[in-house]
Amino acid sequence: MQKQESQTKGKRKFALWIRQSVLDEVVRWYEADNCTSQSEYIEKAVLFYTGYLASEKSQDYISQTLSSTLRGMLSESESRICRMLFKLTVELSMTMNIIAATHAISRSQLRELRATCVNEVKRTNGSYSLKDAVDLQRG
């Protein structure tokens, strides 16, 4: 009895005219929405729709808030990507220097290799792997 009183505290009972098809939807969905009653479901639906209408009127505010949030997220992602690219470039530079120090490669061979690599990366749309390089070198 006390549980029912706490659920109805501050609430008011009134007549509601509603189409049978809409009521059928309420009966069908209220438990799926974890509502304890059809009244709770209808109340949540009214609050949701009221919020929707209010958001249409404050579209400028929402647009600015959303825009600002997205800018912040993009900026953070950009910074993270830049840091990772920097680290990757350092590792690549180390690898290239080791290869250059241990192999005698002429400038013409280097130009030829660069052209071949550009074509291969274009052909694979940037998805180039060590296996692709091995296959290329072995003919």
Side-chain angles (χ1 to χ4, degrees), residues 20-59:
Q20 184 61 46
S21 61
V22 175
L23 187 55
D24 292 343
E25 289 296 309
V26 171
V27 170
R28 182 174 165 217
W29 287 102
Y30 84 97
E31 288 179 330
D33 192 40
N34 295 321
C35 293
T36 57
S37 68
Q38 295 171 29
S39 293
E40 181 185 357
Y41 182 82
I42 292 169
E43 183 178 8
K44 284 174 73 175
V46 168
L47 291 172
F48 177 83
Y49 187 66
T50 302
Y52 168 76
L53 291 175
S55 72
E56 280 188 335
K57 292 184 176 161
S58 62
Q59 209 168 19

Side-chain angles (χ1 to χ4, degrees), residues 55-114:
S55 72
E56 280 188 335
K57 292 184 176 161
S58 62
Q59 209 168 19
D60 289 339
Y61 170 75
I62 291 173
S63 296
Q64 290 172 0
T65 304
L66 184 60
S67 177
S68 175
T69 301
L70 288 175
R71 264 195 299 275
M73 290 170 65
L74 287 172
S75 177
E76 186 179 317
S77 292
E78 180 184 9
S79 295
R80 198 172 323 130
I81 289 169
C82 287
R83 285 192 304 273
M84 293 308 296
L85 283 173
F86 179 82
K87 290 177 180 180
L88 181 63
T89 303
V90 169
E91 294 298 318
L92 184 59
S93 176
M94 290 170 57
T95 304
M96 289 188 297
N97 276 285
I98 290 169
I99 292 170
T102 58
H103 292 79
I105 301 172
S106 70
R107 290 194 186 274
S108 63
Q109 288 174 317
L110 189 58
R111 273 192 302 276
E112 235 176 83
L113 179 60
R114 180 175 308 283

